[in-house]
Amino acid sequence: MRFTAIATSLIAAAVSASAACLEQPPSAIGFPINFDISTTRSDAISFQIPPNSVGPCQLIAKFPAGYPITSTGSDLVNVTALDGPAPGALVGALRFRPDTKVFINSFACRDIMSYELAIAQGEGEVKFSEIAGAGLFMDVGDCY
């Protein structure tokens, strides 16, 4: 009986530890981070992942309902890796919308993870400001 209680406690602790999730904001001097992605101008974003982080690292975009995002024309945005095992690789594409949480892609965690945001095709522009709780984030660990 006592062994069962101890074993159950240890398993629960292990599950709880493995379920840890960190929402890492972009590396920046401060908020807001203003994005203006257009046909002639791309934007870059980097994340500094804490040492000894256990992955995976999952790039997400999330915005609350009513969040101000301006887009005109073609607003599909390509996300391209700037570093890691495949620099220049297209890792996702999305349209930024309020009241959404979009999973872009999942990666093995690295110390620094950087991406370029560019209009996928045609003429267009997307503008938004990243603030605490709205924008692009790296979910580190078992978040889903």
Side-chain angles (χ1 to χ4, degrees), residues 20-24 47 49 54-61 101-109 113 115 136-144:
C21 177
L22 168 68
E23 184 177 272
Q24 185 69 18
F47 299 89
I49 307 303
V54 176
C57 281
Q58 300 168 44
L59 184 60
I60 63 158
K101 182 174 183 177
V102 177
F103 169 83
I104 299 168
N105 209 327
S106 182
F107 313 91
C109 293
M113 302 177 76
Y115 304 92
L136 293 161
F137 298 90
M138 190 67 71
D139 280 349
V140 180
D142 188 11
C143 300
Y144 301 97

Side-chain angles (χ1 to χ4, degrees), residues 59 77-81 89-94 96 104 115-118 136:
L59 184 60
V77 174
N78 281 342
V79 181
T80 304
L90 179 65
V91 297
L94 74 152
F96 293 97
I104 299 168
Y115 304 92
E116 178 185 53
L117 308 172
L136 293 161

